Amino acid sequence: MAKVLIAMSGGVDSSVAAALLLEQGYEVAGATFKLFDNEDIGIDKTRTCCSLDDVLDAKSVADKLGFRHDVYNFGREFERGVMIPFAEAYQRGETPNPCIECNRRIKFEKFLERALLLEYDYIATGHYARIEKDPETGRYLLKKAVDQDKDQSYVLYMMTQQALSRTLFPLGSLKKSEIRAIAEKKGFVNASKPDSQDICFVKDGDYAGFLQKTLGADPAEGEFVDREGNVLGKHRGIIHYTIGQRKGLGKTFGKPMYVVRIDSGTNRITLGSDEDLYTDSFKAGNVNLISVEELKEPMEVIVKTRYRQKEVPATIYPDGPGRVHVKFRDKQRAVTPGQAAVFYQGDVVVGGGTILKSEN
């Protein structure tokens, strides 16, 4: 009997995933991660995720299903691998997605290492995605979930062949409504628990406040300029802004103005029109490929440059080790450095990388 260690957030998805694994004949144990102390970063003790209530909910489900549940402290790894890089990226004028780095550094690196050390055969999570093995190439493929509204393949593009070979996603072929129904039927305490929203360690989406209060970021005032370099006014510090932003600039200009470029070197923010936000290409770095081992020639794909964005047609070109050049079929708006670009062919994830700042 294969042994599985499932990451249990205390939410309904991972709880149902555990129940399904038991029904499929696996020997199951559960683990909830302790990543930070909520009070230390100004978050309510009961807020999902990583709160005491979440741990208790996960333990309740494990007890009900009759398997072991432990809490793993990955706080140091989370701070070093997720929170600090998040802060550093914002101070470079980028807009990072820390959920992707949490998946990369914690779930499918540290957690997987711990599970294999404890002689589990697999880890599992409640992500909405599917894993299949390509019979022709022998490579493990990451595919979109059946429930397109809940699909999370975008935040999983960094998974390696090793991680894919040792991971189970029991929810990939189910709809969210089915998950709720299973939880209610089994009488889980968290059957109607709302899904977690936003970044788990940032209160009310106030990224700048978190960076200042918790990580000691010191945003220096700088200049708003137009595309010709003319000074338009002062800004509060680049951590307060992101590409495409119009509201909250703290100044009126007589016409709609948007953040079109953030330059951490000069501490200048360039403002322009909505039209200035459109581009036909960008470059991505730190690229991880899944469906192919190497990109040797141009490939037609569809690409997402934000989590909830609709995919659009593009061509990806090799651009040196770990990099690709992406050219859209039609210009796209507000492609933002620091965000992830994920490439698909149909429902198969080709790979993805981090959007780089333009060189001009």
Side-chain angles (χ1 to χ4, degrees):
M1 183 185 297
K3 297 171 60 180
V4 183
L5 185 61
I6 182 166
M8 301 184 70
S9 66
V12 66
D13 291 331
S14 55
S15 298
V16 171
L20 294 174
L21 289 168
L22 284 171
E23 291 176 2
Q24 292 165 14
Y26 291 101
E27 181 181 334
V28 177
T32 301
F33 305 159
K34 179 176 172 59
L35 302 178
F36 50 79
D37 290 319
N38 287 30
E39 297 89 336
D40 290 347
I41 58 176
I43 294 178
D44 190 299
K45 191 180 292 188
T46 61
R47 173 175 167 167
T48 298
C49 64
C50 311
S51 71
L52 177 59
D53 284 358
D54 295 321
V55 174
L56 294 175
D57 286 349
K59 179 172 174 51
S60 170
V61 170
D63 288 346
K64 191 174 189 67
L65 294 174
F67 61 77
R68 174 174 176 164
H69 172 266
D70 294 302
V71 176
Y72 291 171
N73 189 340
F74 289 129
R76 181 176 298 178
E77 293 86 350
F78 187 76
E79 181 179 12
R80 292 176 177 174
V82 180
M83 293 173 71
I84 291 175
F86 172 81
E88 291 173 344
Y90 255 97
Q91 290 176 101
R92 291 193 302 268
E94 300 171 2
T95 306
N97 186 327
C99 298
I100 290 174
E101 288 309 305
C102 182
N103 285 331
R104 186 199 309 268
R105 306 298 178 194
I106 307 301
K107 293 186 179 73
F108 301 107
E109 184 175 305
K110 296 301 180 184
F111 179 53
L112 178 57
E113 287 176 4
R114 180 78 60 88
L116 294 178
L117 185 64
L118 295 173
E119 299 185 340
Y120 287 91
D121 300 293
Y122 300 99
I123 61 169
T125 72
H127 282 105
Y128 286 81
R130 294 176 290 159
I131 298 172
E132 294 179 6
K133 191 172 184 179
D134 188 328
E136 294 184 10
T137 66
R139 293 184 69 80
Y140 285 88
L141 303 178
L142 176 66
K143 302 180 72 173
K144 292 180 183 177
V146 167
D147 189 338
Q148 295 290 298
D149 291 335
K150 298 299 294 183
D151 174 57
Q152 293 174 295
S153 59
Y154 175 88
V155 295
L156 298 168
Y157 80 83
M158 83 306 298
M159 291 184 71
T160 64
Q161 288 294 301
Q162 159 77 350
L164 288 164
S165 73
R166 294 285 190 166
T167 300
L168 302 175
F169 292 142
L171 307 187
S173 298
L174 297 173
K175 299 274 190 178
K176 181 71 179 196
S177 57
E178 296 176 282
I179 302 304
R180 292 281 186 195
I182 292 171
E184 289 173 5
K185 184 177 179 181
K186 291 187 177 294
F188 290 165
V189 66
N190 53 14
S192 59
K193 188 174 183 177
D195 294 339
S196 59
Q197 302 290 330
D198 299 321
I199 297 172
C200 66
F201 56 85
V202 176
K203 183 177 182 179
D204 300 326
D206 182 9
Y207 307 141
F210 166 79
L211 294 172
Q212 290 175 272
K213 295 174 185 176
T214 307
L215 297 181
D218 184 19
E221 288 187 350
E223 295 174 331
F224 283 129
V225 297
D226 62 20
R227 291 177 66 83
E228 286 71 47
N230 300 308
V231 177
L232 303 175
K234 292 285 188 181
H235 67 69
R236 296 181 293 149
I238 62 176
I239 66 172
H240 292 278
Y241 307 92
T242 188
I243 300 298
Q245 181 175 336
R246 180 174 71 88
K247 296 181 178 179
L249 299 182
K251 186 175 175 62
T252 57
F253 302 95
K255 60 180 180 179
M257 296 288 276
Y258 301 82
V259 174
V260 299
R261 183 176 175 84
I262 300 173
D263 189 334
S264 59
T266 62
N267 197 25
R268 280 185 156 190
I269 293 177
T270 302
L271 302 180
S273 67
D274 184 70
E275 184 179 329
D276 293 329
L277 288 169
Y278 284 81
T279 184
D280 61 4
S281 68
F282 67 92
K283 292 186 177 182
N286 197 20
V287 170
N288 180 61
L289 296 173
I290 295 178
S291 66
V292 295
E293 183 175 357
E294 182 181 1
L295 185 67
K296 297 180 179 179
E297 57 188 21
M299 179 185 289
E300 298 295 319
V301 298
I302 50 177
V303 59
K304 290 176 72 168
T305 54
R306 289 184 185 270
Y307 185 23
R308 294 300 180 191
Q309 183 187 63
K310 180 179 174 59
E311 303 102 333
V312 295
T315 305
I316 54 175
Y317 299 82
D319 192 52
R323 287 170 57 117
V324 297
H325 185 194
V326 183
K327 297 195 75 171
F328 295 116
R329 182 182 298 173
D330 301 305
K331 285 187 174 184
Q332 298 298 310
R333 185 181 185 277
V335 176
T336 304
Q339 287 285 302
V342 181
F343 319 119
Y344 296 83
Q345 287 188 324
D347 62 355
V348 174
V349 177
V350 173
T354 304
I355 298 170
L356 303 175
K357 286 189 176 183
S358 62
E359 296 169 356
N360 49 43

